[in-house]
Amino acid sequence: MPNEQTPDEQQPPICDVLTILGSKWSFLVIAELIKGPQRFNQLQRNAAVIKTQSLTDTLRHLEKTGVVQREVFPTVPVTVEYSLTEKGRDFGRVLKELEDWAQRWAKPAYGLEA
């Protein structure tokens, strides 16, 4: 019998990473949460370039994929705090490497300099 793999099994592991992270805003949200747990409004202020609905969608996706933890406190009004899980904190090392790479290479790329 030939090697019968589904399309999901044939894709490279980087595709799994991109599926877990989900959106273009995931990196920024993770970078903010590396600094420590934050409430939604605080996170929204710190990541002001993200529109409210996009931030909500990104947090939901990251929670669903196990990168972010959402904790609800029984206060009036209800307080919700977001933090990174172990999986999310582990991604912090990768994020640091991406930031280092961007410091070295990203700015010339915007000008399309050869």
Side-chain angles (χ1 to χ4, degrees):
M1 217 179 212
N3 187 3
E4 294 181 22
Q5 292 181 322
T6 65
D8 287 344
E9 293 172 328
Q10 295 172 357
Q11 66 185 10
I14 191 67
C15 292
D16 295 332
V17 172
L18 296 173
T19 299
I20 290 168
L21 294 178
S23 75
K24 66 179 182 179
W25 298 120
S26 295
F27 289 87
L28 182 55
V29 169
I30 293 168
E32 284 300 323
L33 291 175
I34 283 173
K35 300 172 187 174
Q38 296 184 39
R39 294 180 182 166
F40 185 87
N41 288 336
Q42 180 184 10
L43 188 55
Q44 190 173 29
R45 281 190 302 275
N46 293 341
V49 297
I50 307 175
K51 294 186 181 197
T52 303
Q53 188 60 53
S54 294
L55 179 58
T56 299
D57 294 345
T58 300
L59 286 166
R60 283 182 183 153
H61 180 79
L62 291 173
E63 182 183 6
K64 181 181 170 189
T65 57
V67 175
V68 167
Q69 176 180 319
R70 178 180 184 262
E71 188 171 359
V72 179
F73 297 94
T75 58
V76 178
V78 173
T79 302
V80 179
E81 188 175 81
Y82 295 91
S83 60
L84 293 177
T85 62
E86 181 181 354
K87 185 180 192 177
R89 288 188 302 274
D90 193 42
F91 186 74
R93 294 181 300 117
V94 176
L95 195 57
K96 174 68 175 124
E97 290 297 322
L98 286 170
E99 288 173 350
D100 291 346
W101 183 86
Q103 286 290 327
R104 184 170 179 192
W105 296 105
K107 294 196 189 277
Y110 291 129
L112 302 176
E113 299 168 7

PDB file of all heavy atoms in Angstrom, residues 52-67:
ATOM      1  N   THR A  52     -10.290  46.531  18.489  1.00  0.00           N
ATOM      2  CA  THR A  52     -10.909  45.766  19.569  1.00  0.00           C
ATOM      3  C   THR A  52     -11.343  44.375  19.124  1.00  0.00           C
ATOM      4  O   THR A  52     -11.044  43.379  19.784  1.00  0.00           O
ATOM      5  CB  THR A  52     -12.113  46.533  20.152  1.00  0.00           C
ATOM      6  OG1 THR A  52     -11.662  47.808  20.597  1.00  0.00           O
ATOM      7  CG2 THR A  52     -12.744  45.787  21.315  1.00  0.00           C
ATOM      8  N   GLN A  53     -12.061  44.277  18.003  1.00  0.00           N
ATOM      9  CA  GLN A  53     -12.543  42.972  17.551  1.00  0.00           C
ATOM     10  C   GLN A  53     -11.393  42.050  17.168  1.00  0.00           C
ATOM     11  O   GLN A  53     -11.427  40.857  17.450  1.00  0.00           O
ATOM     12  CB  GLN A  53     -13.515  43.121  16.373  1.00  0.00           C
ATOM     13  CG  GLN A  53     -14.199  41.818  15.992  1.00  0.00           C
ATOM     14  CD  GLN A  53     -15.019  41.237  17.135  1.00  0.00           C
ATOM     15  OE1 GLN A  53     -15.859  41.905  17.713  1.00  0.00           O
ATOM     16  NE2 GLN A  53     -14.773  39.976  17.464  1.00  0.00           N
ATOM     17  N   SER A  54     -10.358  42.596  16.557  1.00  0.00           N
ATOM     18  CA  SER A  54      -9.193  41.783  16.192  1.00  0.00           C
ATOM     19  C   SER A  54      -8.476  41.272  17.433  1.00  0.00           C
ATOM     20  O   SER A  54      -8.023  40.126  17.472  1.00  0.00           O
ATOM     21  CB  SER A  54      -8.225  42.586  15.330  1.00  0.00           C
ATOM     22  OG  SER A  54      -8.816  42.886  14.087  1.00  0.00           O
ATOM     23  N   LEU A  55      -8.376  42.114  18.457  1.00  0.00           N
ATOM     24  CA  LEU A  55      -7.750  41.683  19.709  1.00  0.00           C
ATOM     25  C   LEU A  55      -8.577  40.578  20.352  1.00  0.00           C
ATOM     26  O   LEU A  55      -8.032  39.564  20.799  1.00  0.00           O
ATOM     27  CB  LEU A  55      -7.591  42.873  20.661  1.00  0.00           C
ATOM     28  CG  LEU A  55      -6.980  42.556  22.027  1.00  0.00           C
ATOM     29  CD1 LEU A  55      -5.595  41.928  21.884  1.00  0.00           C
ATOM     30  CD2 LEU A  55      -6.907  43.821  22.874  1.00  0.00           C
ATOM     31  N   THR A  56      -9.885  40.750  20.374  1.00  0.00           N
ATOM     32  CA  THR A  56     -10.775  39.729  20.929  1.00  0.00           C
ATOM     33  C   THR A  56     -10.615  38.410  20.179  1.00  0.00           C
ATOM     34  O   THR A  56     -10.452  37.351  20.791  1.00  0.00           O
ATOM     35  CB  THR A  56     -12.246  40.190  20.857  1.00  0.00           C
ATOM     36  OG1 THR A  56     -12.387  41.380  21.631  1.00  0.00           O
ATOM     37  CG2 THR A  56     -13.196  39.131  21.371  1.00  0.00           C
ATOM     38  N   ASP A  57     -10.638  38.466  18.858  1.00  0.00           N
ATOM     39  CA  ASP A  57     -10.495  37.255  18.042  1.00  0.00           C
ATOM     40  C   ASP A  57      -9.139  36.592  18.263  1.00  0.00           C
ATOM     41  O   ASP A  57      -9.042  35.369  18.362  1.00  0.00           O
ATOM     42  CB  ASP A  57     -10.679  37.580  16.564  1.00  0.00           C
ATOM     43  CG  ASP A  57     -12.091  38.023  16.221  1.00  0.00           C
ATOM     44  OD1 ASP A  57     -13.020  37.818  17.040  1.00  0.00           O
ATOM     45  OD2 ASP A  57     -12.270  38.612  15.128  1.00  0.00           O
ATOM     46  N   THR A  58      -8.088  37.397  18.332  1.00  0.00           N
ATOM     47  CA  THR A  58      -6.740  36.866  18.534  1.00  0.00           C
ATOM     48  C   THR A  58      -6.624  36.188  19.892  1.00  0.00           C
ATOM     49  O   THR A  58      -6.089  35.080  19.998  1.00  0.00           O
ATOM     50  CB  THR A  58      -5.692  37.990  18.391  1.00  0.00           C
ATOM     51  OG1 THR A  58      -5.779  38.541  17.078  1.00  0.00           O
ATOM     52  CG2 THR A  58      -4.289  37.471  18.633  1.00  0.00           C
ATOM     53  N   LEU A  59      -7.135  36.827  20.934  1.00  0.00           N
ATOM     54  CA  LEU A  59      -7.086  36.231  22.276  1.00  0.00           C
ATOM     55  C   LEU A  59      -7.879  34.929  22.322  1.00  0.00           C
ATOM     56  O   LEU A  59      -7.414  33.939  22.907  1.00  0.00           O
ATOM     57  CB  LEU A  59      -7.610  37.220  23.313  1.00  0.00           C
ATOM     58  CG  LEU A  59      -6.667  38.368  23.645  1.00  0.00           C
ATOM     59  CD1 LEU A  59      -7.402  39.455  24.414  1.00  0.00           C
ATOM     60  CD2 LEU A  59      -5.455  37.867  24.429  1.00  0.00           C
ATOM     61  N   ARG A  60      -9.039  34.901  21.696  1.00  0.00           N
ATOM     62  CA  ARG A  60      -9.850  33.664  21.670  1.00  0.00           C
ATOM     63  C   ARG A  60      -9.094  32.540  20.966  1.00  0.00           C
ATOM     64  O   ARG A  60      -9.096  31.393  21.423  1.00  0.00           O
ATOM     65  CB  ARG A  60     -11.184  33.914  20.977  1.00  0.00           C
ATOM     66  CG  ARG A  60     -12.171  34.641  21.845  1.00  0.00           C
ATOM     67  CD  ARG A  60     -13.496  34.815  21.141  1.00  0.00           C
ATOM     68  NE  ARG A  60     -14.416  35.587  21.977  1.00  0.00           N
ATOM     69  CZ  ARG A  60     -15.391  36.332  21.510  1.00  0.00           C
ATOM     70  NH1 ARG A  60     -15.602  36.411  20.203  1.00  0.00           N
ATOM     71  NH2 ARG A  60     -16.161  36.994  22.322  1.00  0.00           N
ATOM     72  N   HIS A  61      -8.478  32.878  19.833  1.00  0.00           N
ATOM     73  CA  HIS A  61      -7.742  31.855  19.083  1.00  0.00           C
ATOM     74  C   HIS A  61      -6.544  31.344  19.896  1.00  0.00           C
ATOM     75  O   HIS A  61      -6.316  30.133  19.971  1.00  0.00           O
ATOM     76  CB  HIS A  61      -7.272  32.408  17.736  1.00  0.00           C
ATOM     77  CG  HIS A  61      -6.509  31.395  16.949  1.00  0.00           C
ATOM     78  ND1 HIS A  61      -7.126  30.393  16.235  1.00  0.00           N
ATOM     79  CD2 HIS A  61      -5.171  31.197  16.805  1.00  0.00           C
ATOM     80  CE1 HIS A  61      -6.203  29.634  15.671  1.00  0.00           C
ATOM     81  NE2 HIS A  61      -5.014  30.107  16.000  1.00  0.00           N
ATOM     82  N   LEU A  62      -5.794  32.263  20.501  1.00  0.00           N
ATOM     83  CA  LEU A  62      -4.627  31.858  21.285  1.00  0.00           C
ATOM     84  C   LEU A  62      -5.035  31.056  22.522  1.00  0.00           C
ATOM     85  O   LEU A  62      -4.313  30.149  22.940  1.00  0.00           O
ATOM     86  CB  LEU A  62      -3.797  33.080  21.677  1.00  0.00           C
ATOM     87  CG  LEU A  62      -3.078  33.776  20.519  1.00  0.00           C
ATOM     88  CD1 LEU A  62      -2.429  35.068  20.994  1.00  0.00           C
ATOM     89  CD2 LEU A  62      -2.054  32.854  19.867  1.00  0.00           C
ATOM     90  N   GLU A  63      -6.190  31.362  23.071  1.00  0.00           N
ATOM     91  CA  GLU A  63      -6.698  30.570  24.194  1.00  0.00           C
ATOM     92  C   GLU A  63      -7.089  29.168  23.716  1.00  0.00           C
ATOM     93  O   GLU A  63      -6.741  28.162  24.336  1.00  0.00           O
ATOM     94  CB  GLU A  63      -7.905  31.270  24.820  1.00  0.00           C
ATOM     95  CG  GLU A  63      -8.464  30.540  26.019  1.00  0.00           C
ATOM     96  CD  GLU A  63      -9.704  31.189  26.592  1.00  0.00           C
ATOM     97  OE1 GLU A  63     -10.235  32.154  26.009  1.00  0.00           O
ATOM     98  OE2 GLU A  63     -10.167  30.695  27.643  1.00  0.00           O
ATOM     99  N   LYS A  64      -7.763  29.103  22.593  1.00  0.00           N
ATOM    100  CA  LYS A  64      -8.198  27.817  22.030  1.00  0.00           C
ATOM    101  C   LYS A  64      -7.012  26.916  21.700  1.00  0.00           C
ATOM    102  O   LYS A  64      -7.080  25.699  21.858  1.00  0.00           O
ATOM    103  CB  LYS A  64      -9.031  28.077  20.766  1.00  0.00           C
ATOM    104  CG  LYS A  64      -9.558  26.840  20.090  1.00  0.00           C
ATOM    105  CD  LYS A  64     -10.348  27.201  18.847  1.00  0.00           C
ATOM    106  CE  LYS A  64     -10.662  25.978  18.028  1.00  0.00           C
ATOM    107  NZ  LYS A  64     -11.244  26.322  16.737  1.00  0.00           N
ATOM    108  N   THR A  65      -5.905  27.505  21.258  1.00  0.00           N
ATOM    109  CA  THR A  65      -4.729  26.711  20.881  1.00  0.00           C
ATOM    110  C   THR A  65      -3.759  26.493  22.049  1.00  0.00           C
ATOM    111  O   THR A  65      -2.694  25.921  21.861  1.00  0.00           O
ATOM    112  CB  THR A  65      -3.979  27.360  19.700  1.00  0.00           C
ATOM    113  OG1 THR A  65      -3.598  28.695  20.050  1.00  0.00           O
ATOM    114  CG2 THR A  65      -4.839  27.362  18.453  1.00  0.00           C
ATOM    115  N   GLY A  66      -4.133  26.975  23.240  1.00  0.00           N
ATOM    116  CA  GLY A  66      -3.332  26.685  24.428  1.00  0.00           C
ATOM    117  C   GLY A  66      -2.143  27.597  24.650  1.00  0.00           C
ATOM    118  O   GLY A  66      -1.252  27.270  25.431  1.00  0.00           O
ATOM    119  N   VAL A  67      -2.115  28.752  24.002  1.00  0.00           N
ATOM    120  CA  VAL A  67      -1.007  29.693  24.147  1.00  0.00           C
ATOM    121  C   VAL A  67      -1.309  30.714  25.249  1.00  0.00           C
ATOM    122  O   VAL A  67      -0.417  31.146  25.974  1.00  0.00           O
ATOM    123  CB  VAL A  67      -0.712  30.409  22.808  1.00  0.00           C
ATOM    124  CG1 VAL A  67       0.350  31.470  22.958  1.00  0.00           C
ATOM    125  CG2 VAL A  67      -0.305  29.384  21.749  1.00  0.00           C
TER     126      VAL A  67
END
